[in-house]
């Protein structure tokens, strides 16, 4: 894979440089020169051109412009030659690209990539694609940071290691998932509270809604009963008409019977009257004969008179019966007239009632009294219920819909929570496995480098179960002493420098960045220790497709043809560099 190698750095009106071009090579670049010559300006220029922000926090950019000049420039010419058909920066179809940063005396600045103005974020994102992070001290460690590194928090040290090794995204994804879970839990709590409040409100309005539904049912029942009442009145009228018609039929039948009987009595009376006349006529004849002295006629006359008396008695009896029958006939006829009058009146009422009734005829016919009793019962129930809120249904349904909405969202949130918990579990296992393996390798390499100076060291991963606060703590042992944490009180300046440099080199053994730099790491080291570290850097970088810059005021204690030596000196016009070939 093609590596982004810095071929040259151009410093114009920057710090002690009026105009300088420093060529760098792949592999080991050793920059030396007296203090104040401008060595560190080279690495500072590289860092600023790459968009480093740490420098801006520690010093004024305006002070970096050469005195007497209004604007300064730093340009990096980076190799973009393809390897195996791929360029380090495939978006640029050329073998070299130039990244520049211009700084004005007022402190303002801008960036350019191949003379096209870009933002700092665009520059840093471009470099991150090839693994370069100018703000990571484990990739570029400027002058004086070796001592400051001890004071960096363990959590920040671990973050630097992860970023340098290109594995930071794994923990970042884990932490993002944990933060997302916190938001989900907060959201779950909020929606659970909304559900609880909605349920409380729903229970309250459920009572009102049930009351409203009951009132509606009772009113509907009342309407039904009122309809039934109209029908029951009609049924009652029709029943009364039916009863009267039955009575009319019965009285008519009785009347006909009485009339027949009266006719029979009249016939009987006519016969008796005829017989009476005959008897009277016969008695008159016999009386005339008897008056003449006919004794036989006298005896017959007595019999005839007895017969006449019997006829009279019978006639009186028949007339009495006839009078009774005739009276009863008149009463029956009067009763029929009354019945007919009542029927006519009821029919008129029935017709009027029929016009009032609505709906279908009830399947069962209850009495008017039964229906009226039910109506009184329903009215009593409505009265007991009192006032009913007519808005209860609307409010209840709104709360019910809201509750369903909240429950639906809560269900989605809980599914998201379960998925996120499972995601965190997997990401945690992935991160722990990776970080354990990483720290184990760094620890082994750290101890190997420390052993070269008759010391030992250890890298401890702290708070592994808490990725948010996990960190690294460095331990060191010199001259056979116990392993103790590195701090500015327990070790000397040389021991601290050696330990930090050893850790830096241990990490850089595995970094993905093609560019690494170390400025004046050896200030407190004795020559022998310095030489061993220089050799360790050389051994690490000689077989890599990468670029390493070491800056020191001390001249090298060993030389190699594949080391690029650069000497920086102070001149009358400013700093100047010279490549030394051995």
């Amino acid at each position: 894979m093609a590596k982004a190698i810095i071929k040259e750095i151009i410093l114009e009106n920057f710090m002690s440089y009026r105009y300088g071009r420093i060529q760098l090579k792949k592999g080991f670049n050793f920059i030396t020169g007296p203090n104040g010559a401008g060595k560190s300006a080279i690495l500072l220029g590289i860092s600023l051109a790459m968009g480093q922000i740490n420098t801006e926090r520690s010093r004024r950019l305006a002070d970096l412009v050469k005195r007497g000049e209004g604007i300064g420039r730093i340009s990096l010419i980076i190799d973009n030659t393809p390897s195996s058909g791929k360029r380090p920066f495939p978006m640029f179809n050329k073998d070299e690209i130039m990244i520049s940063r211009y700084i004005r005396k007022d402190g303002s600045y801008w960036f350019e990539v191949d003379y096209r103005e870009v933002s700092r974020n665009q520059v840093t994102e471009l470099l991150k694609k090839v693994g370069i992070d100018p703000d990571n001290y484990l990739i570029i460690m400027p002058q004086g940071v070796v001592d400051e590194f001890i004071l960096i928090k363990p959590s920040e040290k671990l973050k630097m290691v992860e970023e340098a090794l290109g594995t930071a995204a794994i923990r970042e994804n884990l932490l993002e998932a944990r933060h997302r879970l916190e938001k989900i839990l907060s959201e779950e709590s909020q929606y659970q509270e909304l559900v609880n409040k909605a349920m409380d409100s729903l229970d309250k309005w459920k009572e009102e809604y049930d009351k409203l539904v009951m009132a509606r049912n009772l009113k509907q029942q009342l309407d039904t009963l009122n309809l039934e009442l109209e029908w029951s009145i009609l049924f009652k009228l029709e029943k009364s008409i039916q009863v009267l018609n039955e009575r009319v039929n019965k009285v008519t039948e009785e009347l006909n019977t009485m009339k027949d009987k009266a006719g029979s009595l009249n016939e009987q009376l006519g016969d008796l009257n005829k017989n009476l006349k005959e008897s009277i006529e016969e008695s008159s004849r016999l009386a005339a004969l008897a008056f003449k002295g006919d004794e036989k006629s006298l005896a017959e006359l007595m019999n005839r008179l007895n017969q006449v008396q019997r006829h009279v008695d019978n006639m009186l009896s028949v007339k009495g019966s006839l009078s009774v029958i005739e009276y009863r006939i008149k009463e029956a006829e009067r009763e029929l007239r009354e019945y007919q009058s009542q029927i006519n009146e009821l029919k008129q009422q029935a017709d009027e009632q029929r016009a009032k009734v609505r709906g279908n005829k009830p399947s069962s016919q209850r009495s008017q009294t039964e229906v009226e009793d039910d109506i009184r019962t329903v009215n009593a129930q409505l009265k007991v219920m009192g006032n009913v809120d007519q808005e209860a249904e609307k409010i209840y349904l709104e709360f019910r819909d809201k509750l369903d909405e909240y429950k639906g969202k809560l269900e989605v949130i809980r599914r998201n929570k379960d998925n996120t918990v499972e995601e965190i579990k997997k990401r945690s296992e992935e991160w722990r496995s990776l970080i354990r393996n990483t720290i184990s390798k760094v620890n082994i390499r750290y101890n190997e480098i420390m052993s070269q100076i008759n010391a030992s060291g250890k890298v401890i991963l702290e708070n592994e179960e808490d990725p948010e606060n996990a960190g690294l703590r460095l331990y060191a042992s010199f001259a056979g002493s116990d392993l103790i944490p590195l701090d500015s009180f327990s070790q000397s300046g040389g021991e601290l420098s050696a330990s930090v440099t050893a850790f830096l080199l241990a990490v850089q053994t595995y970094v993905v960045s093609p560019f690494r730099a170390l400025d004046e790491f050896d200030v407190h080291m004795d020559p022998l220790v310095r030489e061993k570290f220089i050799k360790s850097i050389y051994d690490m970088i000689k077989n890599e497709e990468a670029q390493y810059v070491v800056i020191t005021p001390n001249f090298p204690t060993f030389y190699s043809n594949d080391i690029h030596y650069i000497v920086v000196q102070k001149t009358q016009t400013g700093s100047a560099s010279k490549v030394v070939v051995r």
Side-chain angles (χ1 to χ4, degrees):
M1 180 178 177
K3 297 288 186 178
I5 302 299
I6 299 174
K7 298 176 69 174
E8 188 175 19
I9 174 172
I10 302 172
L11 302 175
E12 184 176 2
N13 296 327
F14 180 75
M15 297 183 71
S16 59
Y17 288 85
R18 182 171 299 282
Y19 185 82
R21 300 179 75 104
I22 301 95
Q23 292 185 351
L24 300 177
K25 300 293 184 179
K26 182 181 71 172
F28 197 166
N29 295 269
F30 189 97
I31 301 175
T32 187
N35 290 327
K39 304 182 301 301
S40 296
I42 297 174
L43 183 57
L44 179 58
I46 293 173
S47 300
L48 285 173
M50 288 180 173
Q52 187 186 75
I53 198 170
N54 291 330
T55 302
E56 296 181 30
R57 291 173 179 167
S58 60
R59 62 201 305 175
R60 295 173 62 231
L61 289 178
D63 295 338
L64 302 179
V65 179
K66 187 173 178 60
R67 182 174 299 179
E69 302 296 334
I71 190 170
R73 172 173 73 100
I74 313 119
S75 294
L76 304 180
I77 298 175
I78 302 176
D79 187 8
N80 196 38
T81 305
S83 175
S84 301
K86 292 184 179 180
R87 298 181 184 275
F89 303 102
M91 67 287 297
F92 296 97
N93 189 26
K94 53 192 301 189
D95 291 342
E96 290 181 351
I97 67 168
M98 185 167 69
I99 298 175
S100 300
R101 184 171 187 173
Y102 295 82
I103 303 172
R104 288 194 179 95
K105 196 63 179 176
D106 61 5
S108 62
Y109 62 87
W110 74 92
F111 288 87
E112 290 182 0
V113 175
D114 279 352
Y115 305 103
R116 183 174 64 86
E117 186 173 347
V118 295
S119 67
R120 178 168 59 190
N121 284 341
Q122 288 175 298
V123 172
T124 56
E125 288 300 318
L126 181 67
L127 294 172
K128 279 183 180 178
K129 291 178 181 178
V130 294
I132 298 175
D133 180 3
D135 285 309
N136 193 321
Y137 290 151
L138 298 179
I139 294 176
I140 300 176
M141 185 167 281
Q143 181 181 2
V145 175
V146 170
D147 296 330
E148 294 179 10
F149 188 79
I150 299 299
L151 303 177
I152 295 176
K153 294 179 180 179
S155 58
E156 289 298 318
K157 288 190 180 75
L158 178 59
K159 184 178 179 182
M160 286 182 179
V161 170
E162 290 177 312
E163 289 175 347
L165 300 183
T167 60
I170 295 176
R171 183 158 64 127
E172 288 171 0
N173 291 336
L174 169 59
L175 296 179
E176 187 277 329
R178 286 165 65 100
H179 294 156
R180 189 167 7 109
L181 179 61
E182 291 177 1
K183 291 181 179 179
I184 291 173
L185 291 174
S186 175
E187 196 174 5
E188 180 187 27
S189 177
Q190 291 173 3
Y191 271 96
Q192 184 61 62
E193 186 177 355
L194 289 173
V195 166
N196 293 338
K197 288 182 178 179
M199 288 181 67
D200 291 341
S201 299
L202 190 66
D203 289 342
K204 171 190 172 184
W205 284 103
K206 180 68 166 56
E207 296 178 4
E208 293 296 322
Y209 173 68
D210 290 343
K211 187 177 177 181
L212 176 62
V213 170
M214 183 180 294
R216 286 177 177 174
N217 291 337
L218 288 173
K219 288 180 180 179
Q220 185 176 0
Q221 184 180 351
L222 188 62
D223 291 341
T224 302
L225 288 171
N226 285 327
L227 291 177
E228 187 181 3
L229 178 62
E230 298 297 335
W231 279 103
S232 67
I233 293 173
L234 178 60
F235 293 152
K236 182 178 180 180
L237 290 172
E238 290 177 344
K239 183 66 175 177
S240 297
I241 292 172
Q242 181 184 351
V243 170
L244 287 174
N245 281 328
E246 290 175 354
R247 290 181 182 175
V248 166
N249 292 335
K250 183 178 180 181
V251 171
T252 300
E253 185 180 347
E254 290 175 352
L255 180 61
N256 290 334
T257 300
M258 287 189 292
K259 285 182 177 180
D260 290 342
K261 189 173 183 179
S264 176
L265 289 174
N266 279 321
E267 288 179 2
Q268 185 180 354
L269 187 60
D271 291 340
L272 288 174
N273 189 43
K274 181 180 178 183
N275 291 334
L276 179 60
K277 285 182 179 179
E278 289 177 354
S279 295
I280 290 173
E281 288 176 356
E282 182 63 21
S283 295
S284 296
R285 186 183 68 78
L286 290 173
L289 292 176
F291 186 73
K292 290 178 177 182
D294 186 355
E295 293 182 357
K296 184 179 178 180
S297 297
L298 181 60
E300 289 179 1
L301 175 61
M302 294 303 295
N303 288 332
R304 281 288 179 185
L305 289 175
N306 289 332
Q307 189 177 24
V308 168
Q309 186 60 45
R310 285 198 298 274
H311 286 320
V312 171
D313 291 340
N314 286 336
M315 285 182 68
L316 291 174
S317 175
V318 170
K319 279 187 175 182
S321 297
L322 183 59
S323 296
V324 171
I325 291 297
E326 288 176 344
Y327 174 78
R328 290 178 61 190
I329 288 172
K330 289 180 180 179
E331 287 297 313
E333 289 175 343
R334 181 187 61 76
E335 190 175 358
L336 283 175
R337 287 193 298 273
E338 290 180 356
Y339 283 158
Q340 193 59 53
S341 176
Q342 292 178 15
I343 288 173
N344 292 338
E345 183 178 353
L346 289 173
K347 282 183 176 182
Q348 182 179 355
Q349 293 178 8
D351 289 339
E352 293 174 354
Q353 185 63 26
R354 200 171 285 109
K356 293 180 181 180
V357 296
R358 289 170 291 128
N360 297 324
K361 184 177 181 180
S363 56
S364 62
Q365 297 183 7
R366 297 197 298 159
S367 69
Q368 180 179 348
T369 302
E370 290 178 313
V371 176
E372 287 174 342
D373 287 343
D374 285 350
I375 289 174
R376 280 190 291 271
T377 300
V378 172
N379 281 326
Q381 289 175 327
L382 286 171
K383 186 175 181 180
V384 169
M385 291 180 68
N387 294 328
V388 178
D389 191 337
Q390 298 301 315
E391 293 292 314
E393 180 178 19
K394 177 184 176 183
I395 298 173
Y396 169 74
L397 294 178
E398 286 177 354
F399 275 114
R400 189 183 66 181
D401 291 342
K402 276 294 180 185
L403 180 60
D404 291 341
E405 177 187 347
Y406 294 153
K407 284 183 175 179
K409 289 183 177 179
L410 190 58
E411 184 178 350
V412 172
I413 290 170
R414 284 174 174 164
R415 283 201 301 268
N416 290 340
K417 181 182 72 172
D418 293 340
N419 293 337
T420 306
V421 168
E422 185 63 26
E423 178 187 351
I424 290 172
K425 181 180 178 182
K426 292 179 180 178
R427 290 191 183 279
S428 295
E429 292 172 354
E430 178 188 14
W431 176 75
R432 289 192 184 98
S433 175
L434 176 66
I435 202 64
R436 286 169 185 165
N437 183 53
T438 299
I439 300 307
S440 175
K441 292 192 297 183
V442 170
N443 181 59
I444 292 172
R445 182 61 181 147
Y446 174 56
N447 196 47
E448 287 176 352
I449 297 172
M450 289 289 282
S451 67
Q452 295 175 14
I453 58 172
N454 298 320
S456 63
K458 191 173 186 179
V459 182
I460 300 295
L461 177 63
E462 296 181 338
N463 298 323
E464 179 186 336
E465 298 302 320
D466 182 9
E468 190 90 37
N469 297 304
L472 294 181
R473 193 171 296 278
L474 305 183
Y475 288 75
S477 169
F478 292 90
S481 63
D482 294 334
L483 282 170
I484 58 175
L486 289 185
D487 58 56
S488 57
F489 303 102
S490 303
Q491 289 89 12
S492 66
E495 290 173 341
L496 289 175
S497 296
S499 299
V500 172
T501 303
F503 175 71
L504 174 68
L505 297 179
V507 174
Q508 287 185 344
T509 304
Y510 306 102
V511 297
V512 295
S513 173
F515 179 81
R516 305 156 211 174
L518 187 56
D519 188 4
E520 297 197 12
F521 68 96
D522 54 350
V523 175
H524 303 294
M525 293 182 186
D526 61 56
L528 180 61
V529 173
R530 180 187 307 115
E531 180 179 351
K532 289 183 177 180
F533 275 119
I534 295 294
K535 286 183 178 180
S536 292
I537 295 173
Y538 173 74
D539 291 337
M540 176 181 68
I541 202 69
K542 67 182 179 180
N543 295 320
E544 285 193 44
E545 291 291 322
Q547 188 175 48
Y548 207 111
V549 174
V550 171
I551 299 174
T552 174
N554 301 295
F555 285 94
T557 55
F558 82 98
Y559 297 88
S560 175
N561 290 332
D562 53 357
I563 296 178
H564 187 58
Y565 295 97
I566 301 171
V567 177
V568 179
Q569 293 180 333
K570 189 90 170 181
T571 67
Q572 290 183 351
T573 58
S575 298
S577 64
K578 181 179 181 180
V579 176
V580 179
V581 179
R582 179 180 174 84

